[in-house]
Amino acid sequence: MFRSLRLKLTLLYTLIVFLTFLIVSFIIYQYLESTLSKSLNQSMTNESRWIAARMERYQTKAENLKNVQEDIFDHAAYFPIKEYIEIWDSAGDIFYQSPNLALQDTLMNWYKIRKTEKPEIFTITDFRNHNIRLTGMRAGKFEVLIAMPIENINEPLEQLLVIIGWLGPLVIIVSLVGGYLLARRSFLKIQQVIDTAKRINADRLYDRIPDQGSKDEIGEIISTLNEMISRLDVSFKQMKQFSADASHELKTPLAVMRAQLENALDSKSNIIELKDTVARSLDETLRMSAIVENLLLLAKSDAGQEIIKRNKIDLHELVSQTHEECVILASHRSIEVILMHLDRVSVLGDLEKLRQAILNLIDNAIKYSNDGGKIEVGLWKENDKAKIIISDSGIGIPAEDLGRIFDRFYRVDKARSRDMGGAGLGLAISKAIIEAHSGMIYVRSTAQKGTEFTIIVPLLHN
Ligand SMILES: Nc1ncnc2c1ncn2[C@@H]1O[C@H](COP(=O)(O)OP(=O)(O)OP(=O)(O)O)[C@@H](O)[C@H]1O
Ligand SMILES: [Mg+2]
């Protein structure tokens, strides 16, 4: 029903303020009632004591009856609260009765019925259509009765209720308006954030929500959103770069193939020349399939799909075979390939994929070595991990490029790498494969000195 948070907060705020007002009013009412009641009781006790004392003096000093009655009358006339006084003697006759009482309606009638009650001051309802408090006290042979109307207490209480009745709606209105304005002030900032965030779409990811520098929750929302937009910006740029690189890598061999085939069609080439053209076109096709296959593997890995099988692999056999392949490949360029170490270890994984990962490193080591260089390969068992090292004494990688060589299509020397048929995907593929085996791959390199790649994979637990 209430979809706006602003409205909900305002209503909640009003409810809390109003409940607080009710509780405070109730406490004040109770406190006032008990204070007034105590003070009325006190006045009645004081009055009875004064009259009782006066009556005792009358008995001991045998004063004139009229004097006493006048004294009591005067005293009551000056007393600020309206009071009823009755004094009875032991013979059952009225010694004094205040003029506001009547013979047929004596206080004694009520007192006789209730006199045993505790506390000794009791309330009588319906005394001449109103309520009074009544108390009695013995003074020698006399019985002094005093009564006072309860209106003395009720009037201020009723006035308080009227004030509460008027203040209640006022409190509701003030807290509704105040709550709404307060909520509006807070939500205005949030609305600004929402409006700006809405404007920032894929084409405006360079934009940021203006930071008002506040350290409150809204400031936190702004900085979190800005960080998120920055991350999106980086991802979008990477995606765009990736698509551009991928299409560029495929465009070049396609263009080469097209030119070769057009030439072959136009020219009057003999069968040998035609075969040569077809063979070169086939090379380009193979190159493109390799790129597409690699891209598919990376896409699967990005999507969180399983890219490897899990079998028991004798890693020492695999490393020994790849070493032999490396020897053959490197022999054309008089590069020496040394097998440093070969521990017997097994891992759980995918034989073909692991071979591909290692061969990519060996391929690089040969590609980026100078003729007559040296490559070292080794496999070690270290605690519960297998460690493979492939190092070369080649051209090395400049420090500023080291952080990016595992990125897709990243090549330090574009011209050189492409001449050698490289698309810049080899290391990205190796990394994806090794990480799929819960392992890791890292590099150390010094430009013009050489490069060392290390692969770490967890051992198979029997
Ligand atoms: N052993 C190495 N020595 C020097 N530079 C290297 C070495 N290995 C990789 N690099 C640098 O890192 C870049 C990325 O390597 P990667 O294997 O991903 O791509 P590539 O070899 O260029 O192409 P591809 O492997 O797809 O055929 C290379 O272009 C190269 O500049
Ligand atoms: Mg490579």
Side-chain angles (χ1 to χ4, degrees), residues 396-415:
I397 304 166
E400 64 268 25
D401 292 294
L402 267 182
R404 302 203 53 195
I405 55 165
F406 290 99
D407 290 355
R408 287 146 204 207
F409 298 113
Y410 190 79
R411 287 166 300 200
V412 176
D413 184 344
K414 314 260 177 301

Side-chain angles (χ1 to χ4, degrees), residues 223-270:
S223 61
T224 311
L225 277 177
N226 279 342
E227 278 164 25
M228 203 180 78
I229 297 167
S230 296
R231 284 200 298 275
L232 276 178
D233 194 17
V234 171
S235 301
F236 263 68
K237 278 189 184 137
Q238 278 176 351
M239 263 171 56
K240 276 188 189 160
Q241 185 62 43
F242 178 75
S243 322
D245 289 343
S247 34
H248 180 76
E249 285 309 318
L250 292 172
K251 213 171 82 185
T252 315
L254 268 176
V256 173
M257 238 170 81
R258 186 176 161 179
Q260 285 168 350
L261 292 174
E262 276 173 356
N263 263 345
L265 268 183
D266 288 349
S267 68
K268 300 181 177 54
S269 320
N270 59 34

Side-chain angles (χ1 to χ4, degrees), residues 359-361 363-365 367-368 417 422-427:
L359 275 178
N360 282 349
L361 299 186
D363 177 54
N364 284 351
K367 260 199 314 199
Y368 305 111
S417 167
L425 286 176
L427 287 180

Side-chain angles (χ1 to χ4, degrees), residues 283-297:
D283 273 353
E284 293 299 337
T285 320
L286 290 176
R287 199 171 122 72
M288 283 192 296
S289 336
I291 293 176
V292 170
E293 249 169 58
N294 282 338
L295 286 180
L296 271 177
L297 186 83

